[in-house]
Amino acid sequence: MKWNRASLLYSTMILTGVSLVAQAVGFVYRIFLSRLIGAEVMGLYQLILPVYSVMAAITASGLTVAVSTLSSEYHALRQRGAVRQLLRTALRLFALLWALVAAVVFPGSDAISVYILGDARTQLGLVLLLPCLLLTGVENLNKHHFYGIGEVRLPAAVELGEQFIRAGAVLGLLTLLLPQYPERIVGIIVLGMLCSEVFSASTLTLLRRRREPGCTAPPGSAEPPGRLRWRLCRTAAPIGATALLNTLMSSVNAVLIPQRMVAAGMEVSEAISSFGVLFGMTLPLLMLPSAFINALCLAIVPKLTECCAMGDRKSCRDKVGKALAATSVLTLPALALLVPLGPTIGAALFQDPRAGEHILPLSIGVALSCYQSVLASALNGVQRQNWAAAVSLLCGGVQLAFTWVGTGIPGVGLYGYILGFVVSSALSVLVELALVARCTGLRPALFQALTAPALAALLTGLCVNLLFHSVVSMGLEVPVSVLLSLVFGGFLYLLTLRVQGVEPLKLFRLR
């Protein structure tokens, strides 16, 4: 069968394959990184990432989505000149925003590290994040330009190369330069990240410029500069503002967690270490199944925008319905397998017995967040960015309230954040599902899209839990027991779906 390279299925499968390999590389990278630097330095590294996310939200988040959606629209209408204009305008606007952010962060890095992050050892990492941010923005704008015009193979290949270079550069530098003070270790990690961004930004820019001479633009295919800037800003502004506010909330969450635990009586080093385990070990383990979801979200936005531009409401509805069903079929069984096996896998890989703590409630939040990501992408794809923004802000506020109150209660600690994660994700799914249904007329087949996969995943998780502990108690080696349980669980899940009349392959016929 010949693949249709313009189809959502083709784009999703390519991006899924890349995401799976990237997730695997990133996961192995985190394992070796945690072994080299320890939980406390991992916590320091995790502390600077929220600042990076805030800077990225200010400079690039809205622009990348706008480039993807508008490029898709102009490409569908055969306005090739407008596609090129759009990217150049977005790059100039990004450079201006980056310069403004750098003018604040560079001289204020000492104050940010001490008074906001609460640890002066993060200053060097903050300063080195600025050139990393510049290159990441150039990379992402070029990447989303390719996504918008339906070309996923080139950015996918560059993404893979970037992951390998990042892992090699960071681990290589640490191996050569350790031991060092914690502040310098964080700086070395960011320096390794910078090496990978140099590769990806320069490669994507060269590939895009190579393609342009062969893409001749017919007369009238360009947009008036003023109208193009207005459309770019109108699309990017709500998404960027939402990303900024959400990132600020999540960053405050991340900064508050160790500080509130210290206020509740925990030692500073213990709080930072627990924070590093949760965000540097347990959550990355649970996020492995999200490879397909990330790929689907990247692919579905330009496809829905294209359908809207052509006035094809039925295709929008079908794509969203099948995307939700595919999310259930792939995400729920993966999490059901990780709940019984995750603590053992995490402790073995990260060499920390706390890896895998709180995995059951976290898995519920991760599953809900996967649905939330698909629904938010659907709203962005059908040009309802303001609705997605409002829901995101509401749920971010709910999460922040739970973190502030819960983690500051002695004996509750991280459970306050985890409960907020589950509640805010559930609220987001309910509201966004109603909004998507209003826009597209979506009426998902609940049995195939949710009930059958959930029941099959529940049965699989319970049986795998029983099998794993039984074979371990019989004296079978742990790695062999894990592998046997995974194989058995996968077979049982597919069989249970089949018995319920659900054929997974039909769900992936996303034209």
Side-chain angles (χ1 to χ4, degrees), residues 146-161:
F146 280 113
Y147 292 156
I149 63 175
E151 175 59 74
V152 298
R153 291 175 299 167
L154 291 177
V158 174
E159 177 75 17
L160 281 181

mmCIF file of all heavy atoms in Angstrom, residues 146-161:
data_model
loop_
_atom_site.group_PDB
_atom_site.id
_atom_site.type_symbol
_atom_site.label_atom_id
_atom_site.label_comp_id
_atom_site.label_asym_id
_atom_site.label_seq_id
_atom_site.Cartn_x
_atom_site.Cartn_y
_atom_site.Cartn_z
ATOM 1 N N PHE A 146 7.859 23.762 8.336
ATOM 2 C CA PHE A 146 7.814 22.490 7.615
ATOM 3 C C PHE A 146 6.536 21.721 7.930
ATOM 4 O O PHE A 146 5.908 21.148 7.038
ATOM 5 C CB PHE A 146 9.039 21.638 7.961
ATOM 6 C CG PHE A 146 10.290 22.032 7.228
ATOM 7 C CD1 PHE A 146 11.375 22.570 7.899
ATOM 8 C CD2 PHE A 146 10.385 21.853 5.856
ATOM 9 C CE1 PHE A 146 12.532 22.928 7.227
ATOM 10 C CE2 PHE A 146 11.538 22.204 5.165
ATOM 11 C CZ PHE A 146 12.615 22.743 5.851
ATOM 12 N N TYR A 147 6.135 21.691 9.209
ATOM 13 C CA TYR A 147 4.899 20.998 9.573
ATOM 14 C C TYR A 147 3.697 21.602 8.857
ATOM 15 O O TYR A 147 2.805 20.885 8.396
ATOM 16 C CB TYR A 147 4.662 21.069 11.085
ATOM 17 C CG TYR A 147 5.641 20.296 11.922
ATOM 18 C CD1 TYR A 147 5.878 20.638 13.251
ATOM 19 C CD2 TYR A 147 6.336 19.211 11.401
ATOM 20 C CE1 TYR A 147 6.767 19.933 14.037
ATOM 21 C CE2 TYR A 147 7.239 18.504 12.171
ATOM 22 C CZ TYR A 147 7.450 18.862 13.497
ATOM 23 O OH TYR A 147 8.334 18.166 14.268
ATOM 24 N N GLY A 148 3.676 22.922 8.776
ATOM 25 C CA GLY A 148 2.538 23.595 8.156
ATOM 26 C C GLY A 148 2.370 23.263 6.689
ATOM 27 O O GLY A 148 1.244 23.175 6.189
ATOM 28 N N ILE A 149 3.464 23.068 5.964
ATOM 29 C CA ILE A 149 3.368 22.761 4.534
ATOM 30 C C ILE A 149 3.318 21.252 4.287
ATOM 31 O O ILE A 149 3.405 20.799 3.150
ATOM 32 C CB ILE A 149 4.536 23.396 3.749
ATOM 33 C CG1 ILE A 149 5.880 22.820 4.198
ATOM 34 C CG2 ILE A 149 4.515 24.913 3.895
ATOM 35 C CD1 ILE A 149 7.066 23.318 3.378
ATOM 36 N N GLY A 150 3.193 20.473 5.370
ATOM 37 C CA GLY A 150 3.019 19.032 5.224
ATOM 38 C C GLY A 150 4.294 18.238 5.083
ATOM 39 O O GLY A 150 4.253 17.049 4.764
ATOM 40 N N GLU A 151 5.431 18.831 5.351
ATOM 41 C CA GLU A 151 6.719 18.141 5.248
ATOM 42 C C GLU A 151 7.200 17.801 6.659
ATOM 43 O O GLU A 151 7.572 18.693 7.424
ATOM 44 C CB GLU A 151 7.739 19.028 4.543
ATOM 45 C CG GLU A 151 9.149 18.457 4.495
ATOM 46 C CD GLU A 151 9.224 17.118 3.801
ATOM 47 O OE1 GLU A 151 9.117 17.086 2.557
ATOM 48 O OE2 GLU A 151 9.365 16.110 4.519
ATOM 49 N N VAL A 152 7.154 16.525 7.011
ATOM 50 C CA VAL A 152 7.532 16.132 8.365
ATOM 51 C C VAL A 152 8.838 15.362 8.419
ATOM 52 O O VAL A 152 9.446 15.231 9.484
ATOM 53 C CB VAL A 152 6.415 15.286 9.024
ATOM 54 C CG1 VAL A 152 5.139 16.084 9.153
ATOM 55 C CG2 VAL A 152 6.172 13.996 8.245
ATOM 56 N N ARG A 153 9.299 14.826 7.277
ATOM 57 C CA ARG A 153 10.468 13.963 7.331
ATOM 58 C C ARG A 153 11.749 14.731 7.666
ATOM 59 O O ARG A 153 12.571 14.263 8.465
ATOM 60 C CB ARG A 153 10.636 13.231 6.002
ATOM 61 C CG ARG A 153 9.560 12.186 5.727
ATOM 62 C CD ARG A 153 9.725 11.588 4.347
ATOM 63 N NE ARG A 153 9.614 12.611 3.306
ATOM 64 C CZ ARG A 153 9.951 12.423 2.037
ATOM 65 N NH1 ARG A 153 10.445 11.259 1.655
ATOM 66 N NH2 ARG A 153 9.800 13.387 1.150
ATOM 67 N N LEU A 154 11.938 15.907 7.073
ATOM 68 C CA LEU A 154 13.166 16.660 7.326
ATOM 69 C C LEU A 154 13.279 17.108 8.780
ATOM 70 O O LEU A 154 14.303 16.845 9.429
ATOM 71 C CB LEU A 154 13.241 17.859 6.378
ATOM 72 C CG LEU A 154 13.455 17.536 4.890
ATOM 73 C CD1 LEU A 154 13.433 18.805 4.060
ATOM 74 C CD2 LEU A 154 14.775 16.804 4.697
ATOM 75 N N PRO A 155 12.264 17.784 9.338
ATOM 76 C CA PRO A 155 12.390 18.160 10.749
ATOM 77 C C PRO A 155 12.460 16.949 11.678
ATOM 78 O O PRO A 155 13.089 17.008 12.733
ATOM 79 C CB PRO A 155 11.131 18.996 11.020
ATOM 80 C CG PRO A 155 10.183 18.660 9.935
ATOM 81 C CD PRO A 155 11.024 18.325 8.746
ATOM 82 N N ALA A 156 11.822 15.839 11.276
ATOM 83 C CA ALA A 156 11.886 14.633 12.100
ATOM 84 C C ALA A 156 13.308 14.110 12.174
ATOM 85 O O ALA A 156 13.805 13.726 13.252
ATOM 86 C CB ALA A 156 10.955 13.568 11.539
ATOM 87 N N ALA A 157 13.997 14.078 11.038
ATOM 88 C CA ALA A 157 15.382 13.602 11.022
ATOM 89 C C ALA A 157 16.287 14.514 11.846
ATOM 90 O O ALA A 157 17.161 14.045 12.590
ATOM 91 C CB ALA A 157 15.879 13.519 9.577
ATOM 92 N N VAL A 158 16.068 15.821 11.742
ATOM 93 C CA VAL A 158 16.875 16.769 12.519
ATOM 94 C C VAL A 158 16.607 16.603 14.007
ATOM 95 O O VAL A 158 17.522 16.679 14.839
ATOM 96 C CB VAL A 158 16.584 18.212 12.062
ATOM 97 C CG1 VAL A 158 17.296 19.211 12.957
ATOM 98 C CG2 VAL A 158 17.022 18.405 10.613
ATOM 99 N N GLU A 159 15.340 16.362 14.367
ATOM 100 C CA GLU A 159 14.975 16.153 15.771
ATOM 101 C C GLU A 159 15.731 14.970 16.368
ATOM 102 O O GLU A 159 16.231 15.036 17.486
ATOM 103 C CB GLU A 159 13.473 15.919 15.874
ATOM 104 C CG GLU A 159 12.965 15.608 17.265
ATOM 105 C CD GLU A 159 12.918 16.819 18.170
ATOM 106 O OE1 GLU A 159 12.975 17.952 17.658
ATOM 107 O OE2 GLU A 159 12.846 16.619 19.394
ATOM 108 N N LEU A 160 15.809 13.892 15.597
ATOM 109 C CA LEU A 160 16.549 12.724 16.078
ATOM 110 C C LEU A 160 18.025 13.054 16.282
ATOM 111 O O LEU A 160 18.630 12.687 17.302
ATOM 112 C CB LEU A 160 16.412 11.572 15.085
ATOM 113 C CG LEU A 160 15.120 10.768 15.133
ATOM 114 C CD1 LEU A 160 15.155 9.652 14.102
ATOM 115 C CD2 LEU A 160 14.905 10.187 16.523
ATOM 116 N N GLY A 161 18.603 13.732 15.291
ATOM 117 C CA GLY A 161 20.001 14.105 15.416
ATOM 118 C C GLY A 161 20.250 14.980 16.628
ATOM 119 O O GLY A 161 21.255 14.810 17.340
#
